Amino acid sequence: MQMNKRKQVMGWCCFALSVILFLFQGLYLILHLRWRVEYADNRLFYLMTIFIVVCATVALIVLMDLKKNGKSLLLVIAIVIILLHGVLSFRHSRAVRELVSLSPDWKTYFVLKQDRLSGKTDYYRPYYGPFVQAKVTLPFSMKGDAKIKWIEDDIVAATYHAEDGSIHQFIGTFGDRGQGSSYTNVALSIQGTWKGEDFILTSTTEGLTVKHGDEVERFSWENIVQFGTLAVVLTENDEARWTVALGGDFISHENDPAPPSGSIYLYEAIDGSTEPVPLTLSSP
């Protein structure tokens, strides 16, 4: 009697879970058809469908008084659906490269989806929960994988190569740390000389200069690309050289005469392992 009761509870739990997930999948389809919303990783759609089938099958077998042939037929149908979705998930992975990276504080995530055949890569903005929406297409078709580095909890850099071998950086920023009512020019907000380790970064009205040892690189305004209100990428000959990002403790003092305070980060656009270099204001 006790065993039957446990089986009944398990059956009803599986039934409830399958219904909840089915409704969730229905919500996803509505969002996708109306607003082109997608899962951060589209393989989640196939995985959830498989889970629904498993739960529903267990619930039907446990709760219904099926004959042996009925149970066998149910299992065959479930296996066919599971295999079909496994194949579809595999084919999707072969066609689309999906890159999902969780922020260090687990509050947001960064998503890139690349058509493996054409190299066309889209950046997706988190929409709600696991849902994302295409925001912008990267200006250069991506070749191979991107190197992802979170510079701050709300700033992430994707370093990647284009089809011609040139190197580029795309910066994802989340929020503006302000009231969101005005546009902030990052390069102008860090005017002054910043130092850290063996690096010196100088921001003037003519542009930015990066000095590393004896090497000096100058970037005029047309070679400075801003992302959101938190970072810029310094380019040379249409290739990325450096990302300059605002630290979490950075204060611009735009509305008072005080110089900026806090820290900024300098992150080099190269292959291999490299860490963002923190810089602090040396002279305004």
Side-chain angles (χ1 to χ4, degrees):
M1 181 65 72
Q2 187 66 25
M3 181 64 71
N4 287 337
K5 188 173 182 180
R6 288 180 181 176
K7 289 177 65 176
Q8 289 282 320
V9 171
M10 182 184 72
W12 282 111
C13 287
C14 287
F15 177 75
L17 189 56
S18 65
V19 170
I20 292 171
L21 293 178
F22 179 80
L23 294 175
F24 194 82
Q25 290 283 68
L27 172 65
Y28 162 72
L29 290 175
I30 293 173
L31 294 173
H32 180 64
L33 293 173
R34 185 158 186 175
W35 291 289
R36 309 306 301 169
V37 169
E38 300 181 16
Y39 283 124
D41 189 327
N42 283 341
R43 289 170 295 187
L44 186 59
F45 176 83
Y46 304 108
L47 184 63
M48 287 184 65
T49 302
I50 290 173
F51 202 62
I52 290 171
V53 171
V54 171
C55 289
T57 302
V58 172
L60 290 173
I61 290 176
V62 171
L63 298 176
M64 297 184 68
D65 187 20
L66 296 174
K67 302 292 185 184
K68 185 177 179 180
N69 289 342
K71 291 181 179 178
S72 298
L73 178 61
L74 190 61
L75 286 173
V76 169
I77 294 174
I79 290 172
V80 169
I81 295 175
I82 290 171
L83 289 177
L84 175 63
H85 280 75
V87 171
L88 291 174
S89 178
F90 177 74
R91 289 186 61 184
H92 176 79
S93 299
R94 294 285 299 272
V96 180
R97 187 198 309 270
E98 294 176 316
L99 195 160
V100 182
S101 178
L102 189 64
S103 65
D105 62 359
W106 291 31
K107 290 184 177 179
T108 189
Y109 49 89
F110 177 72
V111 179
L112 293 178
K113 298 189 181 188
Q114 178 199 28
D115 185 315
R116 291 180 184 269
L117 186 61
S118 67
K120 176 178 174 290
T121 306
D122 292 325
Y123 163 61
Y124 283 71
R125 193 82 174 175
Y127 188 66
Y128 187 79
F131 301 133
V132 296
Q133 195 172 37
K135 183 72 174 179
V136 65
T137 298
L138 271 58
F140 301 92
S141 295
M142 191 169 75
K143 181 181 180 181
D145 286 322
K147 183 181 72 174
I148 305 300
K149 182 67 180 181
W150 286 88
I151 299 174
E152 279 286 1
D153 289 339
D154 52 2
I155 305 174
V156 57
T159 305
Y160 67 98
H161 285 276
E163 292 293 333
D164 62 0
S166 58
I167 194 165
H168 305 278
Q169 280 185 327
F170 179 84
I171 310 300
T173 64
F174 304 87
D176 62 5
R177 299 180 189 163
Q179 301 300 318
S181 58
S182 62
Y183 183 79
T184 300
N185 188 306
V186 173
L188 285 178
S189 69
I190 61 171
Q191 287 208 357
T193 299
W194 301 74
K195 292 184 178 180
E197 294 185 3
D198 194 24
F199 291 88
I200 299 176
L201 183 145
T202 304
S203 174
T204 69
T205 54
E206 297 178 353
L208 300 183
T209 300
V210 177
K211 183 179 180 184
H212 182 207
D214 296 330
E215 185 178 355
V216 179
E217 299 174 80
R218 294 183 174 83
F219 302 91
S220 56
W221 288 108
E222 57 266 26
N223 294 320
I224 299 173
V225 182
Q226 179 152 331
F227 290 83
T229 57
L230 301 179
V232 292
V233 172
L234 313 182
T235 67
E236 180 179 21
N237 298 324
D238 289 332
E239 289 193 74
R241 284 291 300 125
W242 303 91
T243 286
V244 179
L246 305 183
D249 58 350
F250 177 83
I251 301 175
S252 68
H253 291 289
E254 287 180 310
N255 301 318
D256 60 61
S261 58
S263 61
I264 62 174
Y265 288 93
L266 189 62
Y267 182 59
E268 190 170 12
I270 58 173
D271 294 323
S273 178
T274 182
E275 293 294 325
V277 179
L279 307 174
T280 55
L281 188 65
S282 171
S283 61

